[in-house]
Amino acid sequence: MMRMMLEFVVVAVLAGFSSAQFNPNVKCGRTSIVHLFEWRWEDIAEECDRYLGPNGFGGVQISPPNENVIIKNPNRPWWERYQPISYKLCTRSGDEQQFRDMVTRWNNVGVYIYVDAVINHMCGAGIGKGKSSTCGSSYDTSTREFPAVPYSSADFNDNKCKTKSGGIENYNDANQGRDCQLVSLLDLRMDSEYVRTSIVEFLNNLIDIGVAGFRIDAAKHMWPGDLLAVTRKLNNLNTRWFPNGTQPFIYQEVIDLGGEAISASEYTSIGRVTEFKYGAKLGTVIRRLNGEKMAYLKNWGEGWGFMPNDRAVVFVDNHDNQRGHGAGGASILTFWDARLYKMAVGFMLAHPYGFTRIMSSFRWPRNFVNNQDGNDWVGPPSYKNGSTMAVPINEDTTCGSGWVCEHRWRQIKNMVIFRNVVDGQSLINWWDNGHNQVAFGRGRAGFIVFNNDNMDMDVTLYTGLPSGKYCDIISGQKEGDGCTGKQISVSDTGIANFIIKSSDEDPFVAIHVNAQI
Ligand code: QV4
Ligand code: CA
């Protein structure tokens, strides 16, 4: 009894003190991370010193670094990386040495790595037996043997799941959602001490190498109590780079668009949670669907029924919903709708709600039949032998070989900087025309104006900014003493005139105090 009480106190104290798991651990003055989906570790290492560091990015979410099954039919889909075979660090992105090199190089310049952690399951039940895996480890899905961990049949939820098929049949049943197989992926018994320890060892190895946090894949499919038991046992971050006692940042993938059996709020005491309503709603507004308009964004954030600001990780699209996987549906904006996409990302980065993640994608040959993309599986740009192509950088700073590099689009990169400049300043001086022309400021540090109506805009607004000449960071940027884009003059009284034609390449304007000329 005494012992139980003591254990309870210890758990309560640990949970209470784990506030750092909500802190993204980005360096002071940096406010966003970018998901470099399917990039090779060598390319990520390069991108850090040459681009992300100098442009104020806080870190990178990487694709799962641990061994996965190699799928040949279809040919090397991106989603094979969500089918683990072991916790060894070799994948199409690179081997363990390359991983270590990348992390070290990044940490040395203060831009950090966030690992996509696939811990709910191993590979699909129907994969079979073999060694067709990215480090060559063997597996046998019929006997549930994964000797490289090792896991065997006792480590899976086969007995706990109560459905006939062993899979999740009814998403309105929370028990099925947690204990049964998600799309036939072998579901780990997270209530077992052995499984928990194996996962903790995997994550602690990454922490010791130097990563700063984790995206917890499929968190919804694990019981919050089991997840808490795992995250509580994580080491503090490596003191070679991080202050003593820094806990890893935890952000959990829970898709909760409302009215579901499993809700995001069940997870907000463990770490942050992905707010999927954000991209779904913002897409609806910017596309002007269902009578939505930008004027309604005045109370964007918690006012729209989103989770608490300090719990949310927000994004316009992610690697799933940009290709019709996961949730969000047709409203989701992606690089395929570049003009609207830039506006949505611009709005997100200007608005104070949530911790922001930028998507960086690769192009694939979309092939819609009956509104379904038959090529939603296509993997990253790669050679015939299956190895992933490097990311070549063109002279104009864009990327080649099918890598989209949204994070390098001038408008997006400059808005990442905008967010850093206005960090901590409250949203003030909101203005709208009742339709899709809106504007707002962030303290006295920045101001942004959107024209998403089908008519030209010519307005004079109070910006709150110190008087002077500013360079619009959307149509151009400050270069030396000059400006390659529109120039905006703020008067002594903080007023400025904004002209945005509905035919402008990008119908929005953003200025901030670090882009004064
Ligand atoms: C299929 C059928 C099954 C059938 C099985 C038979 O769907 O019903 O039993 O064949 O063999 C791939 C295939 C999928 C296949 C499955 C198992 O696409 O057709 O099952 O493999 O072989 C990614 C992809 C999935 C992919 C999976 C594993 O999106 O298509 O499945 O990787 O390779 C929910 C969840 C949420 C999830 C989201 C997509 O709540 O957690 O769906 N998002 C995360 C990741 C996502 C990943 C997973 C979870 C799984 O972001 O990328 O799924 O790790 O909303
Ligand atoms: Ca599960």
Side-chain angles (χ1 to χ4, degrees), residues 1-19:
M1 187 62 194
M2 218 19 221
R3 186 148 171 249
M4 262 176 64
M5 273 181 64
L6 195 71
E7 259 177 20
F8 176 78
V9 170
V10 170
V11 169
V13 166
L14 283 171
F17 282 169
S18 64
S19 64

Side-chain angles (χ1 to χ4, degrees), residues 120 178 187 221:
N120 170 66
R178 266 74 174 249
D187 204 57
H221 303 285

Side-chain angles (χ1 to χ4, degrees), residues 483-509:
C483 169
T484 59
K486 291 182 188 170
Q487 296 190 20
I488 307 290
S489 292
V490 174
S491 75
D492 293 346
T493 52
I495 283 169
N497 177 237
F498 296 91
I499 297 175
I500 306 177
K501 297 220 168 77
S502 65
S503 60
D504 279 358
E505 189 184 341
D506 295 300
F508 63 118
V509 166

Side-chain angles (χ1 to χ4, degrees), residues 131-152:
K131 287 185 176 185
S132 172
S133 47
T134 52
C135 318
S137 299
S138 65
Y139 50 80
D140 184 344
T141 58
S142 62
T143 59
R144 314 287 198 246
E145 297 285 341
F146 295 89
V149 179
Y151 284 139
S152 55

Side-chain angles (χ1 to χ4, degrees), residues 120 157 177-180 187-188 221-222:
N120 170 66
N157 268 333
R178 266 74 174 249
D179 298 333
C180 298
D187 204 57
L188 283 165
H221 303 285
M222 297 178 270

Side-chain angles (χ1 to χ4, degrees), residues 66-70 76 80 90-92 132-137:
N66 61 301
E67 178 171 32
N68 62 265
V69 69
I70 291 177
R76 308 299 309 263
E80 67 172 39
C90 34
T91 59
R92 274 216 273 187
S132 172
S133 47
T134 52
C135 318
S137 299

Side-chain angles (χ1 to χ4, degrees), residues 168-199:
I168 303 171
E169 293 171 2
N170 175 5
Y171 276 83
N172 290 320
D173 179 337
N175 291 301
Q176 288 188 25
R178 266 74 174 249
D179 298 333
C180 298
Q181 295 167 359
L182 166 65
V183 291
S184 93
L185 299 162
L186 293 174
D187 204 57
L188 283 165
R189 233 186 94 195
M190 288 263 294
D191 59 2
S192 121
E193 209 40 55
Y194 176 74
V195 170
R196 287 179 182 175
T197 306
S198 305
I199 293 171

